[in-house]
Amino acid sequence: MERILDLNIVEVRKLLKKGEISSVDLTRFYLERIKKYDGAIQSYLRTTEEVAMAMAEDADGRIRAGEDGPLLGIPFGIKDIFCAKGMETTCASQILKGFIAPYDATVIQRLKERHFVHLGRVNMDEFAMGSSTENSSFQTTKNPWDLTRIPGGSSGGSAAAVAGGLCAASLGTDTGGSIRQPAGLCGVVGMKPTYGRVSRYGLIAFASSLDQIGPITRNVTDCATVLGAIAGYDPMDSTSIPQPVPDYLALLGRDIKGMKIGVAKEYFVEGIEPDVKKAVADSIALFEKHGAIVVDITLPHTEYAVSTYYIICTAEASSNLARYDGVKYGLRVDGKDIIDMYKKTRMKGFGQEVKRRIILGTYVLSSGYYDAYYGQAGKVRTLIRRDFEEAFTRCDIIVTPVSPTTAFTIGEKAEDPLQMYLSDIFTIPVNLAGLPGMSVPCGFDRAGLPIGLQIIGQPLDEARMLQAAFVLESEKKVKTIPDSFKG
Amino acid sequence: MKITKETVEYVAHLGRLRLEPHEVELYTEQLGRILDHMDALSALNTEGIEPTSHAIPVSCVLREDAGRESLTMEGSLQNAPERKGNFFKVPPIIEVD
């Protein structure tokens, strides 16, 4: 079964179809690997073994009956932020501990319609607020490439589980880089689609104008496969875009001759590790070798993105998280009256980072400060969006590093929120502009830690990004599971 | 902009959070530094720029005004910390002496 880890989902599906393996075999294989390795990685908050085995048996029945489908019988680890009917869904927060979702998120429903296998729920920063998964109120996930280091965040459990070979694929969410940064730091593929490409219905909200759902996988083919399954219009999300979804898989493998690749000087500033800079430069050279044309572009408002982002996302979070009040679900701590009950519940239920963001978000929205912060941030967001619009008149995709550094050590930035916020400097502008962005492995630093290349596309142009990523992957053949987690 | 302990306490109240004294200290210091960093935004001239609230404009979303399935009463109440019949039960909202 070990060879499964070197195959993509399309190849595994062929084995399932031919009856060489069953979905039950595949599910057991991953569950056993979780037992063997997740004690060290700690990517799963909960495995849902019984559900998984029942789903696998159901899938096998369908396969025997001749049914086919891109994800039929394929086991996933799911970020604990998506409502799945009858399953505990905690967002890695004490305030939602024990919450049983009464309905399915649209993305879960779409995976169920395709008869995937739900292996369990993977770790994250509490309410997706963080860049290291250290803000989980349950456990600290480790980077499979070096267990003393963070896997990135907030979808750190997803990226670590995929890199550790503990699931075939995972779903994450990305508000300011929470898919791309952990994918980059764990050496796997992560895609944040265009805002509105994937329905957010049933996703526990952090910052609604920025949140987007996407796949984290071991290769570009799987990214295209999973994206194709979850993308598309949904009447339950009024921000979802009513546009048809291309066959991403069929579009892979086209050459990139003549593709214009934008390189912005603002993304190659001081603070970037030399190994990261070199790996990105090598990738650009590789694209050129394949006939792409490199174009110098400028994104002059980049330096304002982090501040703009933390004003907007905390403002939206302070509003979204008002629902955790001890009334309808989740934790309640009794108080002498209702206000006292609210305050005690929220004091006990939320962790440090969540409280910090609620306070900051409430402050920037409060009377007297609104115009200076939230009002101004909305306008700067327009300038950042226009930078990209202008750049895309001259190029087809933009490439940058995903992060200025490789994975940092556990605890290194935990006490300094501002330094933590600045680690997302290259991913944040993409969310502000609503654009699709992906992370694809492009090499390792001298310590053997993965480096991710970010590809940014125009709205709804995910296919072209995948095409470029596929060229890079086919040529570089970067390994995605560390040897210590094989065998 | 200098942020004071009193401001943090006031904002925490607006956000319905009770903070321990050491948290007030910590957040006052940290938010001060974060807001200093954010103050760089005020240097930008944004006169006449419309704010972006949603990145991809999708407007006037309408659907047919027809009934459809929704969450059941039991589904809505199944996670209630405390319930009475088909209601969520909460502590007194108006104090009674």
Side-chain angles (χ1 to χ4, degrees), chain A residues 272-312:
Chain A
I272 299 191
E273 284 175 357
D275 291 356
V276 172
K277 205 170 178 173
K278 183 172 182 306
V280 173
D282 288 350
S283 304
I284 293 167
L286 189 149
F287 287 137
E288 265 188 307
K289 199 186 93 185
H290 281 261
I293 301 154
V294 174
V295 181
D296 286 323
I297 55 161
T298 173
L299 298 163
H301 295 94
T302 301
E303 61 175 302
Y304 302 103
V306 172
S307 291
T308 302
Y309 171 80
Y310 276 96
I311 291 169
I312 291 169

Side-chain angles (χ1 to χ4, degrees), chain A residues 26 46 70 110 122 140 143 152 237 266 356 362 416 421 438 444 469 485:
Chain A
L26 200 55
R46 273 159 269 117
R110 291 197 173 170
V122 291
T140 301
N143 191 314
D237 175 1
E266 290 84 358
R356 183 156 44 234
T362 308
D416 190 344
Y421 295 172
M438 72 181 290
F444 295 90
F485 293 104

Side-chain angles (χ1 to χ4, degrees), chain A residues 49-326:
Chain A
E49 266 193 71
E50 275 180 36
V51 173
M53 291 311 292
M55 290 172 103
E57 279 164 23
D58 176 65
D60 282 335
R62 289 170 188 280
I63 293 166
R64 280 194 298 271
E67 258 186 65
D68 204 354
L71 298 176
L72 179 55
I74 301 296
F76 278 63
I78 299 290
K79 188 177 182 178
D80 205 23
I81 196 168
F82 300 107
C83 287
K85 192 173 180 177
M87 268 191 194
E88 189 178 1
T89 301
T90 69
C91 250
S93 179
Q94 296 297 327
I95 214 159
L96 277 176
K97 197 174 172 190
F99 172 74
I100 306 295
Y103 65 93
D104 279 326
T106 296
V107 288
I108 297 294
Q109 191 197 329
R110 291 197 173 170
L111 293 183
K112 280 186 179 173
E113 283 163 4
R114 286 159 179 80
H115 308 288
F116 85 125
V117 174
H118 199 151
L119 286 175
R121 313 288 289 187
V122 291
N123 200 22
M124 54 185 284
D125 284 300
E126 183 178 4
F127 285 105
M129 297 179 187
S131 310
S132 67
T133 313
E134 291 168 293
N135 296 333
S136 164
S137 76
F138 298 114
Q139 66 201 36
T140 301
T141 299
K142 319 292 189 299
N143 191 314
W145 293 93
D146 177 347
L147 297 171
T148 67
R149 291 176 188 270
I150 56 101
S154 67
S155 309
S158 297
V162 171
L166 306 181
C167 56
S170 184
L171 289 188
T173 60
D174 189 315
T175 305
S178 282
I179 287 174
R180 290 160 287 157
Q181 184 254 21
L185 300 186
C186 290
V188 294
V189 178
M191 162 78 83
K192 180 208 94 75
T194 309
Y195 182 81
R197 178 82 284 191
V198 178
S199 166
R200 292 179 295 111
Y201 178 69
L203 156 67
I204 297 175
F206 156 22
S208 307
S209 81
L210 301 159
D211 295 343
Q212 190 57 204
I213 299 164
I216 295 182
T217 59
R218 274 194 291 276
N219 54 69
V220 176
T221 304
D222 293 354
C223 181
T225 305
V226 178
L227 180 63
I230 61 172
Y233 176 68
D234 175 19
M236 298 302 279
D237 175 1
S238 62
T239 63
S240 89
I241 300 173
Q243 292 284 336
V245 179
D247 184 347
Y248 297 114
L249 208 49
L251 297 170
L252 288 183
R254 289 173 304 169
D255 69 50
I256 56 165
K257 273 194 195 83
M259 191 185 282
K260 288 186 187 137
I261 296 185
V263 177
K265 62 175 188 297
E266 290 84 358
Y267 281 69
F268 296 89
V269 288
E270 55 175 322
I272 299 191
E273 284 175 357
D275 291 356
V276 172
K277 205 170 178 173
K278 183 172 182 306
V280 173
D282 288 350
S283 304
I284 293 167
L286 189 149
F287 287 137
E288 265 188 307
K289 199 186 93 185
H290 281 261
I293 301 154
V294 174
V295 181
D296 286 323
I297 55 161
T298 173
L299 298 163
H301 295 94
T302 301
E303 61 175 302
Y304 302 103
V306 172
S307 291
T308 302
Y309 171 80
Y310 276 96
I311 291 169
I312 291 169
C313 84
T314 58
E316 292 184 13
S318 72
S319 166
N320 271 328
L321 271 61
R323 72 191 68 183
Y324 304 102
D325 58 3

